């Protein structure tokens, strides 16, 4: 087996594989999002998001992506969707809202796209 | 020995937990999904397994990226369901079977299948939603089984190959068959089928690929071991890699199984939901 077979950067449209390099880049962001499993931490974040970003050592790009609630930008900065979902949950965004934002659709159109996949 | 009576696959989407809490069983959106479960519940009530081995993938409750086991086995007397951060109602703890867990751990490691043992493991929706779907009364049901949770990594690549997942199931089967007590065991493989939550391809669903998997996993699971991980992501979506749990389950059932029930419905949340009841040859 040659080394290039270990490369996780598959050419799959619209898809970022969360691999080692993403894991390194996104560690602080994902660690912050993982902390949102706790109600106490969610309250602390909401009281002062900027202080909470700094406490977890987010990069400036990660902070801006969070301020903008921009999921694609969070992924570009190493965010993993399972942890980002906990961030989205704070703002009561469903996975359809998150899908709609990433694909540039309304949530209703995104839901319709899912329904059509069944036909 | 432990007798493996069969396997069940089920999606484990968090929205199902909310739908159950709000009793949306008859709503047009939910009915085609929930209607897939009564025949499986009837089979479980007839067969009364003592233990359910629940193979699922943790989504950031029991494990974080600081330490990410590829395969983890619960070895506790009970398992807590904890807050996941986005409002799905929490369930009471689930009773474990630590003695059986340690037998599986001993058996699999002796068989050169090295795993991570967990004496504490918070179980998330991947574990709890199928338990609710299959035993709606949970611990109030006198036939509610003890559980052994098994979690495989699909959060972070490299994830295991489909062949490795299938071989995991085979090793699990060997370990169960050497258990000294006479107990009945059902194996759950949860998650899937095709879906993708992240990226500009979010909302991707692949009915043709799912139907092929539903077909092959019954009679020709070996064929599915030829699918590469990249191919799985491409065809099933980034989170459709949860199909690995189905492969682990199937490996534990032995060669011949009979498909007693099947349901497939698009969409539940962002996902194609697949349900199967496979019975082992007597």
């Amino acid at each position: 087996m040659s080394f290039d077979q270990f490369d996780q950067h598959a050419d799959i449209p619209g898809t970022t594989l969360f691999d080692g390099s993403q894991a390194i880049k996104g560690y602080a962001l994902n660690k912050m999002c993982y902390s949102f499993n706790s109600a106490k931490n969610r309250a602390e974040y909401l009281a002062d998001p900027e202080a909470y970003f700094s406490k977890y050592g987010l990069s400036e790009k990660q902070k801006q992506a969070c301020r903008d609630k921009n999921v694609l930008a969070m992924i570009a900065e190493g965010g993993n969707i399972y942890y980002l979902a906990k961030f989205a949950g704070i703002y009561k965004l469903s996975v359809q809202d998150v899908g709609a934002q990433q694909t540039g659709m309304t949530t209703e159109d995104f839901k319709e796209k899912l329904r059509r996949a069944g036909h | 020995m432990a007798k493996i009576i069969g396997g069940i696959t089920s999606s484990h989407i968090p929205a199902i937990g909310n739908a159950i809490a709000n009793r949306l069983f008859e709503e047009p959106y939910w009915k085609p999904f929930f209607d897939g479960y009564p025949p499986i519940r009837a089979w479980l009530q007839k067969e009364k397994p003592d233990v359910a081995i629940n193979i699922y993938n943790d989504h950031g409750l029991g494990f974080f990226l600081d330490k990410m086991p590829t395969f983890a086995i619960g070895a506790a007397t009970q398992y807590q369901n904890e807050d996941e951060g986005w409002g799905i109602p929490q369930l009471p703890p689930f009773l474990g079977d630590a003695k059986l867990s340690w037998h599986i751990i001993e058996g699999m490691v002796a068989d050169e299948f090295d795993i991570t043992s967990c004496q504490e493991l918070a179980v998330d929706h991947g574990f709890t939603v199928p338990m609710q779907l299959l035993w709606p009364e949970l611990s109030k049901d006198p036939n509610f089984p003890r559980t052994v949770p098994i979690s495989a990594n699909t959060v972070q690549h490299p994830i295991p190959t489909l062949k490795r997942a299938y071989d995991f199931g085979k090793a699990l089967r060997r370990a169960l068959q050497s258990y000294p007590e006479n107990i009945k065991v059902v194996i759950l493989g949860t998650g899937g089928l095709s879906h993708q939550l992240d990226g500009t391809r979010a909302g991707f669903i692949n009915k043709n690929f799912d139907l092929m998997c539903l077909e092959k996993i019954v009679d020709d699971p070996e064929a599915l071991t030829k699918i590469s991980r990249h191919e799985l992501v491409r065809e099933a979506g980034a989170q459709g890699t949860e199909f690995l749990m189905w492969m682990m389950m199937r490996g534990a059932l032995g060669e011949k199984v009979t498909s007693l029930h099947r349901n497939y419905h698009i969409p539940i949340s962002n996902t194609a939901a697949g349900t199967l009841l496979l019975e082992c040859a007597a």
Side-chain angles (χ1 to χ4, degrees):
Chain A
M1 185 177 278
S2 68
F3 185 75
D4 59 9
Q5 283 176 270
F6 298 132
D7 184 3
Q8 294 289 345
H9 293 281
D11 187 19
I12 301 169
T15 305
T16 305
L17 286 193
F18 187 83
D19 62 1
S21 57
Q22 288 293 101
I24 292 169
K25 195 188 211 181
Y27 194 74
L29 172 61
N30 290 318
K31 189 169 177 175
M32 178 186 80
C33 292
Y34 177 69
S35 80
F36 295 145
N37 279 327
S38 145
K40 186 172 150 278
N41 290 340
R42 295 196 292 273
E44 183 185 331
Y45 163 79
L46 284 170
D48 188 348
E50 291 296 327
Y52 207 82
F53 296 152
S54 297
K55 178 175 169 180
Y56 278 85
L58 268 59
S59 70
E60 187 47 43
K61 281 182 176 173
Q62 289 172 339
K63 287 180 186 176
Q64 195 55 47
C66 292
R67 288 179 199 121
D68 297 340
K69 301 179 190 59
N70 182 334
V71 177
L72 289 175
M74 293 167 97
I75 291 169
E77 294 310 314
N80 176 297
I81 194 67
Y82 289 130
Y83 307 110
L84 299 183
K86 298 171 194 297
F87 176 87
I90 290 180
Y91 297 100
K92 309 264 182 263
L93 298 171
S94 74
V95 285
Q96 282 85 47
D97 295 323
V98 169
Q101 187 201 89
Q102 294 177 97
T103 52
M105 295 182 185
T106 65
T107 300
E108 266 322 301
D109 285 348
F110 187 76
K111 286 182 178 172
E112 181 54 30
K113 169 186 144 91
L114 292 165
R115 269 191 291 270
R116 277 203 307 272
H119 300 300
Chain B
M1 68 178 213
K3 184 175 187 232
I4 302 164
I5 58 171
I8 299 167
T9 69
S10 171
S11 294
H12 60 215
I13 305 148
I16 300 168
N18 280 323
I20 291 172
N22 295 312
R23 310 195 64 76
L24 304 179
F25 312 117
E26 296 298 320
E27 295 271 317
Y29 181 89
W30 288 101
K31 190 170 165 51
F33 169 75
F34 283 117
D35 279 355
Y37 287 86
I40 304 179
R41 287 181 204 139
W43 181 84
L44 287 167
Q45 290 297 328
K46 179 167 68 87
E47 296 294 334
K48 302 181 179 46
D50 302 290
V51 174
I53 295 185
N54 186 326
I55 303 174
Y56 72 108
N57 54 297
D58 180 78
H59 309 72
L61 180 72
F63 303 108
F64 178 58
L65 302 171
D66 58 340
K67 302 167 196 76
M68 181 55 69
T70 296
F71 295 112
I73 301 185
T77 52
Q78 67 168 25
Y79 301 94
Q80 304 284 345
N81 174 218
E82 291 174 9
D83 187 354
E84 293 188 58
W86 24 251
I88 185 174
Q90 282 166 254
L91 301 177
F94 293 80
L95 199 62
D97 186 334
K99 195 174 150 201
L100 176 62
S101 288
W102 282 107
H103 179 85
I104 294 168
I105 292 162
E106 288 280 359
M108 290 190 70
V109 176
D111 210 0
E112 300 181 342
F113 224 109
D114 307 318
I115 49 81
T116 300
S117 60
C118 307
Q119 287 207 68
E120 284 188 50
L121 179 58
V123 288
D124 74 3
H125 63 273
F127 173 98
T128 61
V129 164
M131 297 303 281
Q132 286 181 286
L133 286 166
L134 300 174
W135 294 274
E137 304 298 320
L138 298 175
S139 59
K140 287 185 200 117
D141 180 343
N143 296 326
F144 191 54
R146 305 186 295 278
T147 63
V148 175
I150 296 180
S151 177
N153 163 39
T154 57
V155 169
Q156 172 177 267
H157 289 263
I159 59 173
T161 63
L162 283 88
K163 180 177 182 300
R164 188 63 173 161
Y166 187 57
D167 287 346
F168 180 101
K170 289 183 181 173
L172 172 63
R173 178 178 181 82
R174 287 191 290 272
L176 286 168
Q177 287 182 326
S178 70
Y179 193 57
E181 286 177 30
N182 289 321
I183 55 168
K184 287 167 95 174
V185 176
V186 66
I187 317 281
L188 314 184
T190 90
L193 285 166
S194 62
H195 65 301
Q196 178 154 339
L197 304 176
D198 50 345
T200 54
R201 201 172 70 138
F204 174 80
I205 285 176
N206 187 345
K207 188 175 177 178
N208 286 337
F209 183 77
D210 289 344
L211 293 177
M212 185 276 290
C213 289
L214 280 162
E215 197 77 35
K216 291 275 182 204
I217 199 151
V218 180
D219 292 325
D220 193 10
E222 289 285 348
L224 298 170
T225 64
K226 308 289 187 289
I227 297 171
S228 75
R229 290 166 291 176
H230 285 182
E231 197 180 343
L232 185 62
V233 172
R234 190 179 301 115
E235 298 297 327
Q239 283 72 40
T241 52
E242 292 175 342
F243 186 66
L244 289 172
M245 313 308 132
W246 292 41
M247 293 298 285
M248 292 162 71
M249 176 283 300
R250 183 63 185 85
L253 302 188
E255 237 165 81
K256 287 286 284 176
V257 295
T258 309
S259 173
L260 296 183
H261 181 69
R262 160 176 158 168
N263 192 40
Y264 179 71
H265 177 68
I266 298 171
I268 290 299
S269 189
N270 286 24
T271 306
T275 313
L276 276 180
L277 168 58
L278 304 177
E279 189 173 63
C280 295

